[in-house]
Structure formats: structure tokens, C-alpha cells
Amino acid sequence: MEIIALLLFVVAVIFIVRSVKVVPQQNAWVVERLGKYHATLTPGLNFLVPFIDRAAYRHSLKEIPLDVPSQVCITKDNTQLTVDGILYFQVTDPMRASYGSSNYIVAITQLAQTTLRSVIGRMELDRTFEERDAINGAVVAALDEAALNWGVKVLRYEIKDLTPPPAILHAMQAQITAEREKRALIAASEGRRQEQINIATGEREAAIARSEGEKQAEINKAQGEAAAITAVADATADAIRKIATAVEQPGGMQAVQLKVAEKAIDAYGNLARTNNTMIVPGNMTEVSALVASAMAVMKRAGSAG
């Protein structure tokens, strides 16, 4: 009885183990019943019929990175280029991933390599370095279309490295060096040109400033001389007016006569001194006549005023 009970216990344990399945999160199990696809188990607790159902395939639904082996591609200008990339994909249909291809990982890898060779073969070497995004997009589009039958979604493809032959690398480095030297020479010449322009502009502005200063100085000098002449004229006119007013006052005429006589005598005195010799008029009446003539002129000037 104990042996039978033990056997029953063992059978029960086997029955439970084969019938109860716990699927982890982000996983999917494909169940076959008598060798034929039956169902896809989702995460959680699931039950199978022992000895009839079996979990034939187990797939992870997470995003999976796949390293695509490096390969040599030929560009449009017949240059060898070693390309290394990485592919990201995700299983979206566990049933197709189980039965659509015997090995979808190998299929994706091979298709990625052939598509990459085709895309790079349509480009020249320089464009392959400039248009990595275009290459990645072309590879993803080609893979995604074919991978639908395999239950796989290709998410991204990234080129890790593009390596041309050493001779091409040396030529590219020489080209870059020449280009940088050319830019340096252009920058230096532009600097010298701008320097000459700045010097010429400064000299022109300085000359203009000097001429403007000289012009303003001449204007100021002329205005000063004009103001001085005007002031002298005003002073002279004012003095004449004052003299005229003084002459009209009582005793003014006598004062003028006396002043004229003094000036006449001083003038005769100055004319008489020549070579330290005094010249005296022979007729003193000439002096009184000169005084009388001067007074007549003053009277006429006074009457005209």
C-alpha cells in the first residue's frame, strides 16, 4: 500500500509540474498540442494538459540588441569599407517567430548584412560618412518588411564603425590637413585685408577731423577779427558822438580851439626836427592862420552835424 501511495504521489507531482506553468513578465510561451500549435501562454499562471500539451518555444518580448558581424562593403567609387553595426529588434508575434523561420536571429543577421552592402554600394565613400542616418534608415526599412513574416519588429540599426583601408585613411588625413592650412591662409589674408582697411579708414577720418578743425579755427579767427573791428568802430563812433556832444556844451568850442592849436603846434614841432636840426617858420602868422583854418573846419563839421 505504501508503494502504491508513493507511486500515486509521484504521479500527482509529475501531473502538477507538467500541467501548471508560470510564465514570467515580458515572456511568451508557444504551446503545441500533439505536435500542432495550440496557444500562446501570456505572463502569469497557466494550465496545460499533461502529456498532451507542451511548451515548445519560449520567447522574450523585450528589446534585444544583436551585434551584426563586421563585413567589407564596396562603395560606388570602388573603395573597400569595413562596416560594423548593431541591430535592435523585438518579438511581436511569438507564433510566427516559432514557425516563420527556423532561426530568425540568423535570418535577421544575414539580411542586415546583405542590405547594408546594397545600400553602401549605391553611395560614394564621402557620402557614407555623411549619411549614416540614411544608411540606418534604409537597413531598418528593408529588414522590417521582411521580418513581418518572422514575427519580429526591427526597431533600429546603428553603424558602430566605418573603417576604410589605411591608404584611404592617409589620403583623407592629408586632405583634411590641406583644407585646414587653406582655411588658415584665407583667415590670415582676410585679417591683413581688414587691417589695411582699418588703417586707411582711420587715416581718412583723422584727415577729415584735422581739416574740420582747421576750418573751424579759421572761422573762429575771422569771427574774432570781425568782432574786434566792430568793437573798434563802435568805440570810435561812440567817442565821436561824445566829442560832438561836448562841443555843443558851453565852452566846448573854446576847448576844441585850444586842442587844435596844441596839435598844430605839436605837428610843427615834429616837422621841424630833422637830423637833430630845429626848423622854425619864418612867419609866425602862419601858425595863427593854421589855427584859424582848423577852427573853420571844426565849425563846418559842427554845423553839418
Side-chain angles (χ1 to χ4, degrees):
M1 293 296 295
E2 294 180 358
I3 296 175
I4 295 174
L6 182 61
L7 289 174
L8 292 175
F9 177 75
V10 171
V11 170
V13 170
I14 295 174
F15 183 88
I16 293 173
V17 169
R18 295 183 66 91
S19 62
V20 178
K21 300 294 180 182
V22 178
V23 179
Q25 183 66 32
Q26 285 297 96
N27 282 264
W29 294 2
V30 174
V31 176
E32 291 182 350
R33 175 167 292 179
L34 299 178
K36 182 181 178 181
Y37 171 77
H38 173 64
T40 300
L41 301 183
T42 57
L45 183 63
N46 295 271
F47 295 96
L48 302 179
V49 177
F51 305 104
I52 296 177
D53 296 340
R54 74 181 185 94
Y57 301 95
R58 301 183 181 188
H59 299 284
S60 174
L61 302 181
K62 300 177 183 178
E63 183 176 340
I64 301 173
L66 177 62
D67 189 15
V68 179
S70 61
Q71 60 177 334
V72 176
C73 301
I74 306 297
T75 62
K76 186 177 180 180
D77 49 357
N78 296 323
T79 302
Q80 292 184 352
L81 192 65
T82 303
V83 185
D84 187 12
I86 186 169
L87 184 69
Y88 297 87
F89 71 94
Q90 186 177 23
V91 175
T92 57
D93 190 339
M95 190 271 286
R96 288 190 177 185
S98 301
Y99 303 105
S101 174
S102 59
N103 191 333
Y104 60 84
I105 293 180
V106 174
I108 291 174
T109 303
Q110 294 296 324
L111 184 58
Q113 289 182 320
T114 56
T115 304
L116 184 62
R117 285 196 296 268
S118 176
V119 172
I120 291 181
R122 295 192 295 268
M123 294 184 177
E124 296 180 352
L125 179 62
D126 293 338
R127 288 188 57 200
T128 59
F129 295 99
E130 299 172 358
E131 301 187 6
R132 288 196 177 194
D133 292 339
I135 296 173
N136 296 337
V139 173
V140 170
L143 289 176
D144 196 38
E145 182 179 358
L148 290 176
N149 295 327
W150 306 332
V152 175
K153 173 69 175 177
V154 178
L155 303 175
R156 297 186 306 280
Y157 178 80
E158 298 291 340
I159 295 177
K160 294 194 297 183
D161 193 17
L162 290 172
T163 307
I168 299 298
L169 282 176
H170 180 72
M172 293 173 63
Q173 186 63 39
Q175 181 182 2
I176 293 173
T177 302
E179 184 67 24
R180 289 179 178 175
E181 291 177 353
K182 174 184 174 183
R183 292 179 182 177
L185 292 175
I186 293 174
S189 65
E190 287 292 334
R192 289 192 296 270
R193 173 176 172 270
Q194 189 62 41
E195 179 184 4
Q196 296 297 325
I197 292 174
N198 292 338
I199 292 173
T201 303
E203 292 177 351
R204 181 173 64 85
E205 292 178 354
I208 293 173
R210 285 195 298 270
S211 64
E212 289 291 335
E214 294 173 356
K215 174 184 175 183
Q216 189 62 41
E218 292 294 333
I219 292 173
N220 293 340
K221 181 179 178 181
Q223 290 178 349
E225 292 177 352
I229 292 171
T230 302
V232 171
D234 291 341
T236 303
D238 186 58
I240 292 172
R241 283 193 297 270
K242 288 181 179 180
I243 291 172
T245 302
V247 169
E248 293 176 356
Q249 299 297 323
M253 184 60 67
Q254 291 78 5
V256 170
Q257 292 174 356
L258 178 60
K259 191 68 174 178
V260 170
E262 290 178 353
K263 292 294 184 180
I265 293 170
D266 290 339
Y268 266 102
N270 291 328
L271 290 174
R273 293 184 181 88
T274 303
N275 296 326
N276 297 325
T277 303
M278 179 175 290
I279 301 173
V280 178
N283 188 0
M284 294 300 294
T285 58
E286 293 180 1
V287 177
S288 60
L290 179 62
V291 173
S293 298
M295 289 304 300
V297 172
M298 293 296 297
K299 289 179 180 180
R300 289 196 300 269
S303 61

